Amino acid sequence: MTTQQLLTPHQSQYYAWLLTRRAAGDSVESLASTLVDSQVDLNPHQVEAALFACRNPLSRGVILADEVGLGKTIEAGLVISQRWAERRRKVLIIVPANLRKQWHQELQDKFGLQGLILEAKSYNAIRKQERQNPFLFASGPVICSYQFAKAKADDVKGIDWDTTQEYEELKKCNYPVQVEGVSKGMPSLEEDIYVCDSVMRMAPETNGEVAHKSWSALSKKTGIDHHHLYAGRHEDKITFRDIVAQPRKIITAPTWSGIESETVSYTAGYTNIHEHIPFRTLTGRAHFYQDHEWFLDFGEGFCAYKPPVDLKAHENVPASVRSKPHLTLSWITPHSKWGIHSSYQDNLRMLNLFRGGPYVWLSEEEAASIGIRDNDWVEAINANGATVARAVVSQRIPRGMAIMYHAQEKNVNVPGSNSTGKRGGILNSVTRVIVKPTNMVGGYAQLAYSFNYYGTVGCQRDEVVVIHKIEDQDIDWLERPLTPEREAQRNPVGIGKK
């Protein structure tokens, strides 16, 4: 049972006085106390700029872009002071490293605000003593460098919650470590399943209670109630054995920007737009222009179409393939229409729904031109390798293109390739990763390495392949014993590296 604490007479008098000082957000009176308390000679344009920044409650922020020397720091200081006076006290100031102390001094001398400079030493000291997020629980405005903000991106997002309950639950599920040492009494990670269950118990995607905590933490940051996104899943706890038994739908989590819904398709950026959650950029807004010199040098300051790179891999294929009716097509590998990556492509339901193995989509007209009918076996081949799969003939596929969805596991109904003598391969058997130079930009606002978000990914996998039909009697399932000679054979002459 909880009781509401009553205000003392002194507190009641203070709050009554405080309320009388408040003014409309679009009037200069709203800045009155801040202006009086500041220790600086103000110019009219600085007051106007600060008022402009404070008067629009629907804006997610403003850009103060006066000329050099006109006092942008003062304008920003006025806004910060006003927000602080309104008890909106999660203030983060990201500046070049050499300006941290200057900002700290300006806030203290001119506005009476005691900021906290966060760097590795001060950050680690707070973490060690208080075990909490220094960005969220600082007693004053937090000041840090671009590089430090990038390194502590997860903390800056402000998604922080208590995992004590889940930690204790893992002790009961995995059993505590009994061996003497630093880990004694901690949840055991001795078995592979224990490790998987530990990850799943701590993740909002597989633990409804953690989803509740994470969305509650984000709601405090955005000021918007997001609890409807996981409604009905609060009590769910998915374990490793659960997903072995059958596929399970994950819980919508703030880790991702799409939602799991029966009415909305999973779409990146959905929560940013519809739930008003800031984008993971320096400003919290979607960025359509990149001013980094590498992007500008490549002509990609704005979104731009770049044609696929033809590495001529299709020119090096066996003569036996060239002598047959064949197609030379662009090889496209989009995400699967049935799932994400390799999720459950080989379970019984998926095998019944579709072809029971790998498949390639071809244009109806082009397939007919070389005698390929729906469900025929085909081989896609180039200098990189070969893939053998069933043909899906469709009028929806444009001419000049073959599509193999990412990613089908090479463990169900994959015959051998007569061209390579090896198992038929997957979608990437005929591709090679090309690193895009702009993906190597780092330490530049949100352009910083983050696992699964930004880094030197293999973004250019599209290739050109030669596709030909394989007659049913020529399908080789490679069911004979694997000899040392076959094991040692990498590729036949003319295929792959010598």
Side-chain angles (χ1 to χ4, degrees), residues 215 218 224 226 228-230 252-280 286 453:
W215 281 114
L218 188 57
I224 300 171
H226 302 297
H228 61 281
L229 295 173
Y230 66 92
T252 297
T255 317
W256 314 99
S257 59
I259 67 171
E260 299 294 330
S261 170
E262 296 294 333
T263 57
V264 177
S265 297
Y266 188 92
T267 306
Y270 182 90
T271 58
N272 303 116
I273 302 300
H274 298 278
E275 295 292 322
H276 308 293
I277 296 172
F279 284 86
R280 292 170 186 174
Y453 278 97

Side-chain angles (χ1 to χ4, degrees), residues 89-291:
R89 296 187 171 180
K90 289 183 180 178
V91 179
L92 175 61
I93 303 169
I94 303 176
V95 297
N98 62 336
L99 295 180
R100 291 174 298 177
K101 292 184 179 179
Q102 177 182 329
W103 267 87
H104 183 272
Q105 197 69 35
E106 294 270 321
L107 287 177
Q108 182 175 331
D109 293 346
K110 296 178 178 177
F111 300 99
L113 293 176
Q114 185 64 43
L116 169 66
I117 297 178
L118 272 187
E119 51 193 357
K121 185 177 180 180
S122 58
Y123 176 90
N124 292 333
I126 295 173
R127 277 291 193 186
K128 185 176 181 180
Q129 294 174 5
E130 305 179 28
R131 297 191 178 186
Q132 59 187 11
N133 186 343
F135 286 94
L136 292 181
F137 298 98
S139 58
V142 174
I143 306 168
C144 69
S145 67
Y146 298 130
Q147 292 78 11
F148 191 79
K150 175 205 70 170
K152 303 298 180 184
D154 289 338
D155 284 351
V156 172
K157 293 172 192 171
I159 305 299
D160 197 27
W161 60 87
D162 184 7
T163 58
T164 302
Q165 175 183 335
E166 288 70 38
Y167 181 81
E168 294 300 324
E169 289 174 353
L170 281 172
K171 288 183 181 180
K172 298 177 182 178
C173 297
N174 294 3
Y175 307 106
V177 175
Q178 302 295 331
V179 181
E180 293 293 334
V182 294
S183 60
K184 184 176 180 179
M186 296 182 179
S188 173
L189 301 178
E190 184 176 1
E191 301 290 339
D192 294 346
I193 292 181
Y194 292 171
V195 175
C196 294
D197 279 341
S198 296
V199 173
M200 297 174 74
R201 185 57 61 107
M202 294 291 183
E205 294 87 350
T206 47
N207 187 335
E209 176 62 25
V210 176
H212 167 71
K213 292 176 181 178
S214 59
W215 281 114
S216 298
L218 188 57
S219 291
K220 291 180 180 178
K221 180 178 179 181
T222 62
I224 300 171
D225 186 358
H226 302 297
H227 293 93
H228 61 281
L229 295 173
Y230 66 92
R233 304 292 302 275
H234 193 158
E235 303 298 326
D236 288 6
K237 288 182 174 62
I238 304 173
T239 67
F240 179 80
R241 290 179 175 85
D242 290 335
I243 61 174
V244 169
Q246 67 179 122
R248 298 295 177 95
K249 190 173 186 177
I250 65 171
I251 305 168
T252 297
T255 317
W256 314 99
S257 59
I259 67 171
E260 299 294 330
S261 170
E262 296 294 333
T263 57
V264 177
S265 297
Y266 188 92
T267 306
Y270 182 90
T271 58
N272 303 116
I273 302 300
H274 298 278
E275 295 292 322
H276 308 293
I277 296 172
F279 284 86
R280 292 170 186 174
T281 63
L282 186 63
T283 65
R285 301 174 177 181
H287 284 196
F288 297 98
Y289 176 72
Q290 302 291 353
D291 63 354

Side-chain angles (χ1 to χ4, degrees), residues 273-463:
I273 302 300
H274 298 278
E275 295 292 322
H276 308 293
I277 296 172
F279 284 86
R280 292 170 186 174
T281 63
L282 186 63
T283 65
R285 301 174 177 181
H287 284 196
F288 297 98
Y289 176 72
Q290 302 291 353
D291 63 354
H292 192 280
E293 60 182 351
W294 287 17
F295 280 86
L296 299 180
D297 288 345
F298 279 94
E300 297 180 13
F302 288 104
C303 294
Y305 168 75
K306 292 296 181 72
V309 180
D310 184 0
L311 299 182
K312 311 297 182 183
H314 64 287
E315 296 180 359
N316 188 13
V317 299
S320 58
V321 173
R322 289 287 185 188
S323 63
K324 298 173 56 179
H326 63 271
L327 299 170
T328 301
L329 304 174
S330 294
W331 183 254
I332 311 299
T333 57
H335 270 89
S336 171
K337 63 182 292 186
W338 298 109
I340 298 175
H341 300 289
S342 58
S343 302
Y344 300 107
Q345 291 283 350
D346 61 347
N347 70 70
L348 183 60
R349 177 176 294 179
M350 288 303 308
L351 297 180
N352 288 336
L353 278 174
F354 220 64
R355 305 302 169 100
Y359 43 90
V360 175
W361 292 68
L362 300 174
S363 160
E364 192 173 53
E365 294 179 356
E366 289 183 321
S369 70
I370 63 169
I372 295 176
R373 295 182 298 177
D374 192 74
N375 215 43
D376 279 347
W377 286 104
V378 297
E379 179 183 56
I381 186 170
N382 60 20
N384 299 322
T387 294
V388 179
R390 296 279 192 181
V392 179
V393 176
S394 172
Q395 73 276 11
R396 292 180 292 169
I397 306 302
R399 294 177 63 89
M401 178 188 300
I403 293 180
M404 191 169 190
Y405 284 105
H406 173 80
Q408 300 166 42
E409 294 150 310
K410 194 177 69 172
N411 56 10
V412 178
N413 288 353
V414 181
S417 164
N418 295 324
S419 302
T420 67
K422 299 291 184 180
R423 188 66 63 182
I426 61 171
L427 75 159
N428 283 331
S429 296
V430 294
T431 70
R432 285 293 180 268
V433 169
I434 302 174
V435 175
K436 198 169 188 291
T438 50
N439 283 150
M440 292 187 280
V441 173
Y444 193 77
Q446 71 269 10
L447 301 181
Y449 176 77
S450 179
F451 177 73
N452 204 47
Y453 278 97
Y454 190 86
T456 50
V457 298
C459 59
Q460 175 53 283
R461 282 199 175 99
D462 293 348
E463 260 288 3

